[in-house]
Amino acid sequence: MDTTGRTRQAVTAYIDSAERRDWESFGALLAEDMVYEMPQTRERIRGKAAFLRFNREYPGDWHLEVRRVVADGRHAAVWVDARVGAERQDACVWFEMSEQGLISQVTDYWPEAYEPPSGREHLVERW
Amino acid sequence: MDTTGRTRQAVTAYIDSAERRDWESFGALLAEDMVYEMPQTRERIRGKAAFLRFNREYPGDWHLEVRRVVADGRHAAVWVDARVGAERQDACVWFEMSEQGLISQVTDYWPEAYEPPSGREHLVERW
């Protein structure tokens, strides 16, 4: 498998193992010195141990499903359908892989719904 | 150039030509029946003509810069640094290309800053 194929497999397994709460498989995908960032809250977690704990402790009956994986060498982006109870939210997750094929950087965006500004109703439809 | 290379070139040119307000180059990248979606506001724009007008009329002294392009066959994701005056915002943009190599689907996310929930201060640092 080439680098892109290996990256695609790793980031897909990242979402799927988190959804299954299979923390052993999840941890096996991560570099020891990986860094996780959430730019919206300016939060950063350093290291696999803290990141595993963050995920294991994350509250709520959350569910994740891959909508799309885009893999390109040692980079990838995953478009995720997340759900907590009846609440749906999309996530955009950016990945970087180490030379060894482990996930070394994860950046999460959790965009919230909002009402559109006025003035463009003539161009758009709503759903 | 292979499909991935062609996709990478097109989505990079999409951001760069929008930044330059070069609407002729921008329009040349788009399929006539392209669809633009903003899931956060549940807005959709159908067709190149309306989408060009939406961009040309978009208010404010906005600036766009590519932070990262991830291209994969006829799919791509672009991580964008946007700026309006002194305000910075990140965007996540998902693309689909037509068989002819034109942009046929664009999905924009504009995640907003927010304060993190309490209870995870022991795992995170802030920046």
Side-chain angles (χ1 to χ4, degrees), chain B residues 41-70:
Chain B
T41 55
R42 306 182 317 285
E43 288 176 293
R44 181 182 295 119
I45 297 174
R46 289 184 190 276
K48 171 173 161 167
F51 185 58
L52 268 168
R53 188 167 165 198
F54 173 77
N55 280 279
R56 278 199 313 260
E57 292 180 359
Y58 203 91
D61 180 30
W62 51 267
H63 293 282
L64 306 176
E65 199 176 332
V66 169
R67 187 187 304 183
R68 187 181 294 171
V69 174
V70 185

Side-chain angles (χ1 to χ4, degrees), chain A residues 1-38:
Chain A
M1 202 186 305
D2 67 355
T3 304
T4 293
R6 200 166 63 162
T7 298
R8 186 180 292 116
Q9 193 173 68
V11 302
T12 305
Y14 170 98
I15 301 294
D16 291 347
S17 59
E19 168 61 20
R20 293 195 314 273
R21 279 39 167 189
D22 177 354
W23 303 119
E24 198 169 337
S25 302
F26 185 81
L29 301 165
L30 305 174
E32 284 298 332
D33 60 350
M34 63 92 58
V35 175
Y36 173 70
E37 291 187 346
M38 289 174 283

Side-chain angles (χ1 to χ4, degrees), chain A residues 8 37-46 50 53-54 57-58 67-72 75-79 90 92 94-96 107 109-116 120 122-127, chain B residues 8 37-46 50 53-54 57-58 67-72 75-79 90 92 94-96 107 109-116 120 122-127:
Chain A
R8 186 180 292 116
E37 291 187 346
M38 289 174 283
Q40 290 169 275
T41 55
R42 306 182 317 284
E43 288 176 292
R44 181 183 294 120
I45 297 174
R46 289 184 190 277
R53 188 166 165 200
F54 173 76
E57 292 180 0
Y58 204 91
R67 187 187 303 184
R68 186 181 297 173
V69 174
V70 185
D72 188 355
H75 287 156
V78 181
W79 189 351
D90 303 339
C92 303
W94 301 86
F95 293 90
E96 265 181 75
T107 306
Y109 288 95
W110 292 91
E112 299 262 10
Y114 63 92
E115 282 306 301
R120 59 200 199 194
H122 58 302
L123 298 171
V124 306
E125 60 185 51
R126 302 290 302 280
W127 78 80
Chain B
R8 187 181 292 115
E37 289 187 348
M38 289 176 282
Q40 289 169 276
T41 55
R42 306 182 317 285
E43 288 176 293
R44 181 182 295 119
I45 297 174
R46 289 184 190 276
R53 188 167 165 198
F54 173 77
E57 292 180 359
Y58 203 91
R67 187 187 304 183
R68 187 181 294 171
V69 174
V70 185
D72 189 353
H75 286 156
V78 181
W79 189 352
D90 302 339
C92 304
W94 300 87
F95 292 91
E96 267 182 74
T107 306
Y109 287 95
W110 293 90
E112 299 262 9
Y114 64 92
E115 282 306 301
R120 60 200 198 192
H122 57 301
L123 298 171
V124 307
E125 60 186 53
R126 302 290 303 280
W127 78 81

Side-chain angles (χ1 to χ4, degrees), chain B residues 15 18-21 60-65 80-85 87 89 110:
Chain B
I15 302 294
E19 169 60 20
R20 294 195 314 274
R21 279 42 166 186
D61 180 30
W62 51 267
H63 293 282
L64 306 176
E65 199 176 332
V80 176
D81 284 323
R83 190 166 52 75
V84 181
E87 286 266 318
Q89 196 174 4
W110 293 90

